[in-house]
Amino acid sequence: GNSDTGETPADDGKLTLGFSQVGAESGWRTANTNSIKESAAAAGIELKFDDAQGKQENQITAIRNYIQQKVDVIAFSPVVESGWDTVLKEAKDAGIPVILTDRAVDSADKSLYKTFIGSDFVKEGKLSGEWLVNETKSATGTVNIVELQGTTGSAPANDRKKGFGEAIAANPNLKIIASQTGEFTRAGGKAVMEQFLKANPKIDVLFAHNDDMGLGALEAITAAGKVPGKDIKIITIDAVKDGMQALADGKFNFIAECSPLLGPQLMDLAKKVKAGETIPQRILTEETTFTPEQAKAALPNRKY
Amino acid sequence: MSGRQPVLTMTAISKSFPGVRALDGVDFRLFPGEVHALMGENGAGKSTLIKVLTGVYGNDAGVISLAGQQVSFSGPMQAAAAGVSTVYQEVNLCANLSVAENIFIGREPRTLGAIRWGEMRRRARDLLARLDLHIDVTQLLGTYSLAVQQMVAIARAIDIQARVLILDEPTSSLDATEVEQLFRIMRHLRDEGIAIIFVTHFLDQVYGIADRITVLRNGRLVGEYPTAELPQLALVEKMIGKELDVLESLDEHAKRDAREIEAGTPFLQAEELGRKGSVTPFSLTIHAGEVVGLAGLLGSGRTEVARLLFGADRADHGKVAVDGKSAPLRNPIAAIGHDIAFCSENRRTEGLVGELSVRENIILAMQAARGWLRPIPRRRQDELVDKYVKALSIRPADPEIPVRNLSGGNQQKVLLARWLITEPRLLILDEPTRGIDVGAKAEIQKLVVQLSDGGMAVLFISAELEEVLRLSHKIAVMRDRQLVTELVNDHTVDADRVMQTIASGTHHEGPEVA
Amino acid sequence: MSTSKVRWAAVTGHSLFWPVVALLALLTANTIYRPGFLSVEMKDGHLYGSLIDILRLAAPLILVGLGMTLVIATGGIDLSVGSMCAISGAIACLHISQQPDQNALGGVLVALALGVGLSLVLGAWNGALVSIIGIQPIIATLILMVAGRGLAQLITEGQIITINSEPYKAVGVGYLLTLPISIFIAVGVALVVAAVTRRTALGMIIESVGGNAEASRLAGIRSARITFLVYVISAVCAGIAGFMVTANVSSADGNAAGLWIELDAILAVVIGGTSLAGGRFSLGGTILGALLIQTLTTTVYAMNISPQTALLFKAVVVIAVCLIQAPAFRAKFARRGPAAPAAPLAADQPKEQVPA
Amino acid sequence: MTTTSLTPTRDWWRIPQRYVPVLATLTLLLVMYAVGVSQYRAFSNVQVIFNVFIDNGFLLVVAVGMTFVILTGGIDLSVGSVVAMTAMMSASLLQGGMDPAAVLVIALLVGPTLGFLMGCVIHFFEIQPFIVTLAGMFFARGMCTFISKSSIPITDPFWTSMAQERIGDPRGNFVSISVLIAFVVVVVGAFVLAYTRLGRNVYALGGNQQSALLMGLPVGQTKIAVYAISGLCSAIGGILLSFYTLSGAPLIAVGMELDVIAAVVIGGTVLTGGSGYVFGTVLGVLVLGVIRTLITFDGSLNSWWTKIVIGGLLFAFILLQRLIGIRKK
Ligand SMILES: Nc1ncnc2c1ncn2[C@@H]1O[C@H](COP(=O)(O)OP(=O)(O)OP(=O)(O)O)[C@@H](O)[C@H]1O
Ligand SMILES: Nc1ncnc2c1ncn2[C@@H]1O[C@H](COP(=O)(O)OP(=O)(O)OP(=O)(O)O)[C@@H](O)[C@H]1O
Ligand SMILES: [Mg+2]
Ligand SMILES: [Mg+2]
């Protein structure tokens, strides 16, 4: 590094943002990182970026180091929800505002951070469930659902499962007959789906906690001689490019978007926070849901 | 003796290993205040008997009683607590601990649970001084020679307040002075009423110290005899189970004629070969068909000379020529390429691969020389292995058992066989007869003579001066890591003369090779 | 003494007896849970069923395990195999994704060559660290385990590269003579490795180096070369496994491909009876171990054991298999049992290896 | 008498061979720190060093336990999961309203118990430590998700005060209580290894198990003890982690065992056992901490470059350590 990267040029008026990312565990995360980097450059903000490799300890280390380096604003996507109070207090004592992105923290003391910008995982699950309830309202017999969960214990997995479960409770015909973790990966989704297909002669719906698992499952379904999107309806979350393509091709039936493009909003907020403006405690990312037709329309100009 | 009570009796002890009946109904008695020699060929079951006694192995049948009480130790720890202190065959200490710790570990002087290091070192020094060993006890044990390690093991054993002291081949890597030192201490302990079991293959030592002798053969008891009533020849016959002509060759002291060999071209010439901190540069010439003996006290650097000539250590000084052509012996492979073979004195750590079978160990060097892409056909392997198992009478004769299950002496023979099948032109033997029974020893000696008659050069290292004198055409004398002189082994040379040379380190009148 | 009894003792005493029993037990449990588990049916000329799935999914683990067996036999360990899978898969997929026609066989072959080539380089790196510089294997390969994931992501730029190439896909899910091609690849590599180690003297020399490196050196074995070689073999095996893993889902995920496969591979090797201390090794045992582990994973899915307890289940099975396989455990167990004199062989084994 | 010549010729100023690896690590650590200071001004703040300790306190404690295990020639892969399980259990018990003192006692018992059991299996049934502790790792991690699949916050006042208490100088530099606890563990660990029978038996066992047995040392007890100690250290580490994060999360400390093993080995302990020091382990942990700090201070690395750079630094470090070690030989 060059000799001034470690210090904050406190007086040149340029805003310094310290950002601690969870890791690079998925394409979604990479898109998120790129969005932040690009928009920081565009907004003329000096970005100090750190990848925590999926470890909370590393994020705490990074935040402590940002405090030492006296950055103007700290932002991070917490690896887990809990365990941030101590270090956030240190940031507060040092007078550095904190913005959370993508995932929330469960601190009781809301003054420890300025705002939380990100998607609502519960809502994503709920939207998926509601679409299904709507789709199957005319169905008479039971509708058998299999679920591919994300990494056991992770916040998105927990929340999406919860939201989906709440929504489908509206229709007693909807029944989750099997639920397994596919670790958020294509290989995991495929291996689990293969066994689901062999164990259950009648599967009507697949709900996957992300596109990748859905894409893996897709292969298993095809290999089993069934037609995805018809024999088995597929609902997923995220709306990454490959997922959108599958949706447009009619292999998926529904995707609830979880947008990684938080960069512009984050930079905007950082500037406002620095300028001392008051901002809302919770900011939702602009997100939507897609059906095959919407996907076809949206696909040409998607960035990720 | 019948009036006294034995301190230890073992009755009808049996022990089997997969495929081997190592002990078969063996009885053994030990009285307080005696040195009792346990004798037998390699693989007779001596070490096994000792290990059964101290609980390293469980016995299949039989009763052990110590001081009238029936005992069955779960391991050496319990045995030691009951007053049975043991030095096992092959040094069994921790090379990564200091000398002082090796002596005292498990019995360290402590205050409030904390070890008193200072006192431990002082006591270790004192104890070793009794064995006339003056070394830095804070150094790691592994930095010392096998002989020193053996002394340390003995020191550890005699420091324990024991009723029974067991020494399994403690003298195999000691030189005469040290053996004498050890005997002095053993006599002292015996006079204090301690019972000592002593295993050795040196008959002289047995007659020098033992009061009684128990002989084992093939896992069975042959008998128990007072030393005075069992002449040496009878002992050997009992051990071997037949009368042997081989034994005569033991007494044959015919000097060998060196002149014609000298006339031939030298096979290997080392010039000012040396390695810093290891051996002072030396020059040595070995001819085809010549046996060169290396004599010297322990730690005098004989092993180092051997290792340099084999490329096991890299020389940083001088040069070597083979057949008159310069041959830098940078590593063992280079040496093997020049038909040099080396049997290390340390067969367990530097010689054998314990897990591999006898067959695999024997063909290892030959296979390595051929490279892994050209395996030796199985038929040929079996032929070779069979031949040498027979020739060296390796027991048990099953080439497929792991070599670690063989007794110490038989392991040595396997190592020898490994190199013999490569048909080397120079064979370096570092203590090849250590831990080998009389019969086998004589056979190995005969083999050396045969091989050299057949044109092989041999560098022969042995702690037994007699042996060196008997076999060598030429004796190189080492002292303090320096080759002090070379003696042509003619009628003027005898043990006394060599000892004098070692002691004074100066030249004596008489023929010498420069 | 009846010969059948002796023969029985020889069978139960065999080091692979208990892993086989465990494997059969798992399959039986599955069949009881779902009677159709073992059935294999024909679908468009392909055999289709859970058993086939197990074989197909175990193929990468078998490959990695074979390489790992050799590394472990020399007394080393290779933690970087997971990263290697990711790297070779990533480079192959990257190359294919850049082809104008992804279905062209030429492009796919070049991609495979690239992956194997890169694996060779990385294996040589590991081998050099261990054999030339003399770094402890676990640390030497830890370097590439960490940095390798970075390399894989560098290749994919953090994205999942999706490809659409039938020839490449065949490596993972293609069929030949009704069976998945990956099974043939695994069997083929296993045969090659077996031939190279057991038909030549390489196997014995590896065991010798692992059993006693210094003694081997003094016997004239080029230990360093052998050590180097096994890391290269291990890397190539991992590289091929990487093709399978990525071809299976037609995409390269630098982060998830081959994640934690090193632990499973080591587990397979140990279940197969090869000691981590080095020395004697058993390729057949490793294959069996890999099948056992894959069956375990499949069982979790097939029996729909909740993800929350799946790890506990795995822990229990692993410890049970290892316990029952341990001679010491069986000896203790047999002694307590009422009438089980069948195992004197095992009971007699000395507690430790005591050289005479 | 020739025996006198056996006294090794040792120059008084020469450092004994066995200290060389540790000293090499120390030197390199200092060099690395100097590089940091010269590159980034804020790096020279005392608090940066303190932060390294604060952020790695629990790692340090666990590494001390691992040092014992590795010294005997074993390995303990379960540590990361046991740390997580302890934190998870404490959080869950506290959430259930249990008294903090009771929670501490229970949490400190479970780790060593698991360690003890693993030690027994390793010793009595002669199964390789790698496998037994791998199963232990699956088990403890499974317990985490079994207790709860989402993270549990800790609001207990005792825990909170332990977490947020700052012990510092007037200029605002501070350490947490965890750091002090970690130091106590380090000192106790070093003392046990150097000055007690147990400690020396650990070295003997690592040097040569066969010999240790024949020398009459309590091989079995020692072996079981080191795994219990490692379990205890993991439990303490788990408590420190729960102080540090004020929560228990099922997926925390995944892969920590590799960091711990790396720290111990970088600190000069040989994986085959018998040689190494707790002080070296402290240095090893600091090396990992400083590498991390350097990377965050730089703040311009890509996600994947971070991994590559960590690997590269690790490599450079081990290579240098090795070169220094060879030269001193
Ligand atoms: N651990 C073991 N496993 C299998 N067989 C063994 C084992 N230890 C010894 N044996 C066998 O038991 C027999 C007796 O061996 P033992 O070591 O007692 O002989 P020894 O009399 O001490 O011989 P030496 O003088 O060569 O040391 C030998 O045949 C040997 O191969
Ligand atoms: N004074 C000493 N200090 C340190 N190490 C020593 C000392 N003396 C000997 N050694 C070590 O012991 C080993 C064996 O010593 P050496 O080869 O000189 O003995 P030797 O003459 O072959 O005698 P023997 O074969 O009877 O042991 C060598 O590796 C050497 O490093
Ligand atoms: Mg013996
Ligand atoms: Mg010697």
Side-chain angles (χ1 to χ4, degrees):
Chain A
N2 46 29
S3 57
D4 65 352
T5 32
E7 305 136 33
T8 312
D11 29 307
D12 69 354
K14 200 175 178 190
L15 188 114
T16 312
L17 171 70
F19 183 80
S20 168
Q21 179 62 287
V22 174
E25 74 281 1
S26 62
W28 189 96
R29 189 63 63 191
T30 308
N32 180 241
T33 301
N34 288 344
S35 160
I36 285 163
K37 286 193 165 167
E38 281 161 18
S39 37
I45 290 177
E46 184 181 336
L47 178 69
K48 292 208 150 288
F49 176 83
D50 182 69
D51 178 335
Q53 322 272 320
K55 291 184 187 157
Q56 184 178 23
E57 311 87 276
N58 289 350
Q59 284 198 306
I60 295 179
T61 307
I63 296 172
R64 288 224 161 90
N65 285 332
Y66 292 147
I67 297 173
Q68 286 307 309
Q69 290 172 292
K70 301 197 175 60
V71 298
D72 297 306
V73 179
I74 294 174
F76 71 107
S77 301
V79 175
V80 294
E81 295 158 343
S82 50
W84 302 98
D85 288 16
T86 314
V87 69
L88 291 184
K89 255 193 196 115
E90 283 168 28
K92 193 179 172 191
D93 293 351
I96 302 175
V98 174
I99 301 173
L100 308 177
T101 68
D102 175 39
R103 296 184 187 179
V105 303
D106 62 4
S107 302
D109 181 359
K110 300 285 181 218
S111 74
L112 289 179
Y113 56 87
K114 287 284 178 256
T115 183
F116 162 41
I117 161 175
S119 332
D120 183 343
F121 298 138
V122 180
K123 187 173 156 215
E124 289 161 3
K126 215 173 226 151
L127 288 173
S128 311
E130 281 163 3
W131 176 84
L132 183 63
V133 169
N134 192 38
E135 259 313 271
T136 55
K137 58 178 182 278
S138 55
T140 47
T142 45
V143 176
N144 288 338
I145 306 169
V146 294
E147 181 183 28
L148 287 170
Q149 303 178 28
T151 307
T152 313
S154 66
N158 293 343
D159 290 352
R160 287 170 187 169
K161 184 175 174 58
K162 183 162 163 251
F164 185 76
E166 284 168 6
I168 61 169
N171 182 350
N173 281 340
L174 299 181
K175 214 174 117 210
I176 299 183
I177 53 168
S179 178
Q180 266 297 335
T181 173
E183 306 286 346
F184 280 135
T185 64
R186 290 191 193 183
K190 184 176 179 190
V192 173
M193 195 65 200
E194 279 168 357
Q195 288 311 310
F196 281 174
L197 286 164
K198 292 188 175 96
N200 307 288
K202 179 174 173 285
I203 296 174
D204 303 306
V205 178
L206 164 67
F207 171 52
H209 286 188
N210 75 350
D211 287 343
D212 283 330
M213 289 190 293
L215 290 165
L218 205 64
E219 306 217 0
I221 294 170
T222 321
K226 304 213 162 153
V227 183
K230 296 224 166 57
D231 298 345
I232 299 178
K233 293 206 177 347
I234 301 179
I235 307 169
T236 70
I237 296 175
D238 267 5
V240 299
K241 205 171 207 128
D242 286 344
M244 287 295 275
Q245 187 63 54
L247 186 61
D249 296 347
K251 293 176 178 164
F252 284 0
N253 302 75
F254 184 79
I255 298 184
E257 187 187 29
C258 178
S259 170
L261 305 182
L262 301 177
Q265 269 176 300
L266 176 62
M267 298 310 144
D268 209 37
L269 286 170
K271 281 183 183 154
K272 281 188 184 154
V273 165
K274 183 65 190 166
E277 292 174 36
T278 45
I279 48 171
Q281 270 270 337
R282 176 74 170 97
I283 299 169
L284 280 176
T285 25
E286 293 140 16
E287 282 165 349
T288 169
T289 60
F290 294 99
T291 57
E293 297 70 41
Q294 291 166 319
K296 262 183 216 130
L299 206 50
N301 39 24
R302 293 229 5 133
K303 284 178 83 180
Y304 62 96
Chain B
M1 224 167 241
S2 51
R4 283 192 297 150
Q5 281 300 309
V7 57
L8 171 77
T9 50
M10 300 174 78
T11 337
I13 302 291
S14 293
K15 172 75 192 166
S16 298
F17 294 110
V20 189
R21 195 159 182 86
L23 293 174
D24 188 0
V26 173
D27 297 331
F28 182 75
R29 304 186 297 162
L30 182 68
F31 289 92
E34 71 165 346
V35 174
H36 193 136
L38 188 57
M39 303 294 292
E41 285 185 285
N42 295 135
K46 306 177 295 290
S47 301
T48 306
L49 187 69
I50 289 166
K51 285 180 177 163
V52 166
L53 168 60
T54 58
V56 177
Y57 301 142
N59 52 335
D60 303 343
V63 178
I64 306 171
S65 47
L66 187 68
Q69 296 232 306
Q70 192 174 328
V71 292
S72 166
F73 299 126
S74 66
M77 188 169 43
Q78 251 192 24
V84 179
S85 173
T86 315
V87 175
Y88 294 90
Q89 187 179 11
E90 311 278 350
V91 183
N92 275 293
L93 296 175
C94 292
N96 64 324
L97 298 182
S98 70
V99 170
E101 266 191 281
N102 268 294
I103 297 177
F104 285 105
I105 192 162
R107 301 174 280 115
E108 303 94 339
R110 297 182 297 176
T111 15
L112 297 172
I115 295 169
R116 292 207 300 278
W117 282 93
E119 161 148 6
M120 195 162 95
R121 284 185 206 124
R122 198 173 43 70
R123 278 174 50 187
R125 263 193 296 272
D126 293 351
L127 194 59
L128 287 177
R130 276 175 67 191
L131 291 164
D132 234 333
L133 192 61
H134 305 275
I135 56 174
D136 180 355
V137 296
T138 62
Q139 283 290 301
L140 300 188
L141 184 79
T143 58
Y144 292 105
S145 69
L146 208 56
V148 172
Q149 296 186 17
Q150 188 123 45
M151 297 291 267
V152 172
I154 293 168
R156 175 178 171 85
I158 61 175
D159 182 60
I160 295 174
Q161 290 304 317
R163 273 188 290 195
V164 175
L165 174 64
I166 305 172
L167 302 169
D168 192 353
E169 300 203 24
T171 52
S172 59
S173 41
L174 300 188
D175 66 22
T177 345
E178 285 151 334
V179 169
E180 208 26 67
Q181 214 64 261
L182 172 66
F183 281 6
R184 224 189 49 230
I185 288 169
M186 281 168 68
R187 286 190 194 104
H188 176 74
L189 293 172
R190 172 179 65 187
D191 295 344
E192 285 176 1
I194 293 173
I196 301 175
I197 302 177
F198 178 56
V199 180
T200 184
H201 289 291
F202 298 99
L203 299 184
D204 293 347
Q205 293 179 1
V206 174
Y207 285 90
I209 191 151
D211 302 306
R212 275 175 334 126
I213 299 173
T214 292
V215 180
L216 299 181
R217 188 172 66 232
N218 282 335
R220 292 217 181 77
L221 176 69
V222 174
E224 185 197 285
Y225 316 89
T227 314
E229 293 167 22
L230 187 70
Q232 190 154 339
L233 203 66
L235 168 61
V236 174
E237 282 175 6
K238 291 204 185 316
M239 281 164 58
I240 295 173
K242 56 182 173 194
E243 294 160 35
L244 262 193
D245 317 333
V246 191
L247 295 178
E248 282 162 27
S249 68
L250 275 180
D251 301 314
E252 174 203 334
H253 275 248
K255 291 287 182 182
R256 310 186 59 200
D257 192 5
R259 266 162 311 184
E260 42 189 291
I261 286 166
E262 291 288 291
T265 47
F267 169 69
L268 178 140
Q269 289 165 294
E271 248 175 76
E272 290 300 302
L273 197 65
R275 182 180 156 90
K276 235 164 82 191
S278 158
V279 214
T280 328
F282 65 91
S283 298
L284 186 68
T285 305
I286 307 175
H287 294 81
E290 184 179 32
V291 179
V292 178
L294 268 187
L297 296 180
L298 79 97
S300 59
R302 294 165 299 177
T303 298
E304 268 78 355
V305 167
R307 288 177 66 89
L308 283 187
L309 290 178
F310 187 64
D313 294 330
R314 209 166 166 161
D316 56 11
H317 194 276
K319 51 181 189 252
V320 184
V322 174
D323 291 332
K325 281 197 277 292
S326 164
L329 302 175
R330 261 189 233 100
N331 51 37
I333 296 162
I336 293 167
H338 286 104
D339 295 324
I340 301 175
F342 171 58
C343 286
S344 162
E345 62 176 333
N346 226 329
R347 60 180 167 247
R348 200 167 58 162
T349 55
E350 294 172 0
L352 299 168
V353 185
E355 255 186 293
L356 295 191
S357 67
V358 172
R359 171 178 59 81
E360 287 167 317
N361 269 288
I362 290 180
I363 62 157
L364 194 60
M366 189 188 215
Q367 183 63 66
R370 289 165 67 109
W372 60 267
L373 277 169
R374 293 198 306 136
I376 306 168
R378 186 57 194 260
R379 280 256 304 286
R380 174 116 182 83
Q381 288 184 23
D382 290 339
E383 272 168 34
L384 282 169
V385 170
D386 235 42
K387 178 168 151 210
Y388 280 93
V389 165
K390 282 212 187 75
L392 300 174
S393 57
I394 293 171
R395 266 166 293 172
D398 176 3
E400 294 307 320
I401 58 171
V403 80
R404 66 156 182 263
N405 287 356
L406 259 56
S407 78
N410 281 305
Q411 291 183 355
Q412 181 67 53
K413 295 182 198 166
V414 170
L415 188 57
L416 197 58
R418 170 192 296 172
W419 290 111
L420 290 181
I421 66 168
T422 65
E423 299 177 348
R425 290 169 65 201
L426 168 62
L427 178 62
I428 304 173
L429 297 172
D430 194 356
E431 307 278 7
T433 54
R434 174 188 296 165
I436 280 204
D437 63 57
V438 264
K441 189 182 263 181
E443 274 168 30
I444 287 183
Q445 292 175 4
K446 251 171 67 182
L447 195 72
V448 168
V449 173
Q450 258 174 32
L451 292 171
S452 72
D453 286 349
M456 191 185 292
V458 178
L459 183 66
F460 189 85
I461 305 175
S462 172
E464 273 181 277
L465 210 46
E466 291 300 320
E467 207 174 51
V468 175
L469 282 166
R470 191 175 308 132
L471 296 175
S472 312
H473 295 106
K474 181 166 87 184
I475 299 173
V477 181
M478 304 274 313
R479 183 196 146 106
D480 289 349
R481 304 173 163 262
Q482 202 171 354
L483 198 160
V484 284
T485 186
E486 278 180 32
L487 306 168
V488 170
N489 192 11
D490 58 15
H491 62 279
T492 62
V493 176
D494 58 12
D496 279 349
R497 173 126 180 258
V498 176
M499 283 307 289
Q500 267 177 12
T501 317
I502 292 172
S504 63
T506 51
H507 297 195
H508 285 253
E509 74 256 32
E512 273 171 25
V513 206
Chain C
M1 216 25 209
S2 66
T3 48
S4 69
K5 214 169 191 179
V6 172
R7 205 170 295 154
W8 175 243
V11 169
T12 56
H14 194 274
S15 65
L16 295 185
F17 175 73
W18 290 106
V20 169
V21 169
L23 184 59
L24 294 179
L26 272 181
L27 293 177
T28 314
N30 271 301
T31 316
I32 294 169
Y33 182 83
R34 177 162 62 80
F37 186 81
L38 289 180
S39 72
V40 174
E41 51 188 293
M42 203 65 153
K43 239 180 205 175
D44 338 313
H46 303 161
L47 289 176
Y48 179 85
S50 294
L51 283 184
I52 305 291
D53 282 347
I54 291 175
L55 287 175
R56 180 171 53 81
L57 291 173
L61 186 56
I62 289 175
L63 286 185
V64 174
L66 288 172
M68 187 70 83
T69 309
L70 299 189
V71 172
I72 286 179
T74 64
I77 202 154
D78 189 351
L79 294 183
S80 67
V81 285
S83 300
M84 290 273 209
C85 281
I87 293 174
S88 78
I91 192 85
C93 288
L94 179 71
H95 180 80
I96 292 173
S97 71
Q98 288 165 346
Q99 298 302 306
D101 174 15
Q102 297 198 358
N103 284 322
L105 195 59
V108 172
L109 288 179
V110 172
L112 296 182
L114 275 177
V116 170
L118 198 53
S119 302
L120 280 173
V121 172
L122 296 175
W125 161 268
N126 275 340
L129 289 193
V130 175
S131 68
I132 299 174
I133 306 183
I135 299 176
Q136 302 189 44
I138 202 170
I139 291 298
T141 54
L142 181 72
I143 294 172
L144 206 51
M145 179 188 185
V146 176
R149 285 272 163 220
L151 277 178
Q153 285 177 330
L154 187 70
I155 294 168
T156 64
E157 292 182 321
Q159 302 290 351
I160 297 178
I161 301 180
T162 305
I163 53 169
N164 199 348
S165 163
E166 285 307 321
Y168 188 73
K169 197 173 170 182
V171 175
V173 291
Y175 279 80
L176 187 73
L177 303 174
T178 74
L179 280 174
I181 290 178
S182 55
I183 297 179
F184 288 103
I185 297 179
V187 170
V189 172
L191 288 179
V192 169
V193 173
V196 166
T197 52
R198 296 303 185 197
R199 290 282 146 173
T200 71
L202 184 64
M204 185 191 83
I205 286 180
I206 287 174
E207 289 172 340
S208 161
V209 170
N212 188 340
E214 176 64 5
S216 306
R217 185 180 79 96
L218 291 182
I221 291 172
R222 299 170 197 271
S223 310
R225 261 191 219 181
I226 298 293
T227 313
F228 183 86
L229 187 63
V230 292
Y231 284 92
V232 174
I233 296 178
S234 168
V236 171
C237 286
I240 300 176
F243 300 146
M244 286 187 190
V245 170
T246 49
N248 185 28
V249 286
S250 282
S251 61
D253 182 342
N255 195 63
L259 198 61
W260 300 126
I261 202 173
E262 55 279 346
L263 284 187
D264 278 346
I266 295 167
L267 198 59
V269 172
V270 174
I271 289 177
T274 301
S275 160
L276 279 172
R280 288 280 187 217
F281 67 87
S282 155
L283 294 173
T286 299
I287 294 176
L288 192 63
L291 288 175
L292 184 63
I293 291 170
Q294 186 54 48
T295 308
L296 193 57
T297 313
T298 304
T299 304
V300 168
Y301 301 153
M303 298 223 223
N304 202 13
I305 295 170
S306 102
Q308 267 170 279
T309 44
L311 267 178
L312 287 179
F313 173 73
K314 199 168 174 184
V316 170
V317 175
V318 166
I319 201 76
V321 172
C322 289
L323 269 183
I324 204 165
Q325 200 185 355
F329 180 81
R330 267 151 51 202
K332 270 170 199 147
F333 195 71
R335 212 170 294 157
R336 224 159 285 151
L345 272 176
D348 259 6
Q349 214 83 44
K351 274 184 282 187
E352 310 286 343
Q353 307 168 358
V354 184
Chain D
M1 185 73 230
T2 30
T3 38
T4 44
S5 72
L6 283 173
T7 315
T9 46
R10 179 150 70 88
D11 303 314
W12 60 268
W13 48 265
R14 267 226 347 236
I15 309 155
Q17 181 61 41
R18 52 193 134 150
Y19 299 132
V20 167
V22 175
L23 291 178
T25 310
L26 181 61
T27 318
L28 288 168
L29 182 64
L30 294 179
V31 169
M32 211 157 71
Y33 182 73
V35 169
V37 171
S38 72
Q39 292 291 306
Y40 316 109
R41 199 182 335 126
F43 208 91
S44 58
N45 292 357
V46 184
Q47 188 60 37
V48 169
I49 300 176
F50 285 176
N51 281 348
V52 170
F53 280 102
I54 294 174
D55 294 330
N56 293 289
F58 60 96
L59 194 69
L60 189 53
V61 171
V62 179
V64 169
M66 185 69 88
T67 309
F68 276 78
V69 175
I70 292 185
L71 277 176
T72 65
I75 200 148
D76 188 350
L77 294 182
S78 70
V79 290
S81 308
V82 173
V83 163
M85 180 177 75
T86 310
M88 205 59 200
M89 229 172 42
S90 314
S92 145
L93 291 176
L94 287 170
Q95 197 182 32
M98 194 187 259
D99 182 63
V103 173
L104 273 183
V105 172
I106 295 178
L108 285 180
L109 277 178
V110 173
T113 309
L114 183 63
F116 174 81
L117 291 178
M118 291 192 298
C120 287
V121 173
I122 291 167
H123 172 64
F124 290 114
F125 303 137
E126 292 156 40
I127 304 179
Q128 304 182 21
F130 195 98
I131 295 307
V132 175
T133 57
L134 186 64
M137 164 178 154
F138 291 154
F139 176 81
R141 185 63 66 184
M143 282 307 288
C144 289
T145 45
F146 186 72
I147 292 169
S148 163
K149 60 177 184 158
S150 53
S151 59
I152 307 171
I154 298 177
T155 49
D156 178 80
F158 172 72
W159 246 259
T160 320
S161 69
M162 288 302 275
Q164 292 171 356
E165 190 67 47
R166 299 179 190 179
I167 304 160
D169 67 9
R171 285 198 318 234
N173 296 320
F174 66 93
V175 294
S176 62
I177 292 179
S178 301
V179 174
L180 302 185
I181 297 176
F183 264 105
V184 171
V185 172
V186 166
V187 170
V188 171
F191 176 84
V192 168
L193 275 182
Y195 282 98
T196 67
R197 245 175 221 182
L198 173 68
R200 302 322 292 174
N201 289 347
V202 165
Y203 280 92
L205 193 55
N208 187 336
Q209 172 168 342
Q210 197 46 51
S211 297
L213 191 78
L214 292 181
M215 284 163 100
L217 302 181
V219 168
Q221 276 120 292
T222 310
K223 230 189 220 179
I224 295 170
V226 294
Y227 289 95
I229 288 173
S230 175
L232 178 65
C233 287
S234 304
I236 298 176
I239 303 243
L240 294 191
L241 185 67
S242 68
F243 289 162
Y244 183 67
T245 65
L246 278 182
S247 69
L251 290 181
I252 201 151
V254 169
M256 179 180 171
E257 50 283 344
L258 285 177
D259 288 345
V260 173
I261 294 168
V264 172
V265 175
I266 289 173
T269 302
V270 186
L271 268 173
T272 44
S275 148
Y277 302 91
V278 168
F279 181 61
T281 299
V282 176
L283 295 179
V285 170
L286 290 183
V287 167
L288 293 187
V290 172
I291 288 182
R292 256 280 6 120
T293 308
L294 274 176
I295 285 173
T296 38
F297 263 79
D298 185 74
S300 64
L301 286 177
N302 209 321
S303 288
W304 34 94
W305 278 110
T306 305
K307 287 185 185 165
I308 298 174
V309 168
I310 291 179
L313 284 176
L314 214 58
F315 168 65
F317 201 89
I318 291 161
L319 189 67
L320 282 174
Q321 191 189 41
R322 181 95 200 129
L323 290 180
I324 293 176
I326 289 171
R327 189 153 322 139
K328 290 245 170 93
K329 224 177 234 174

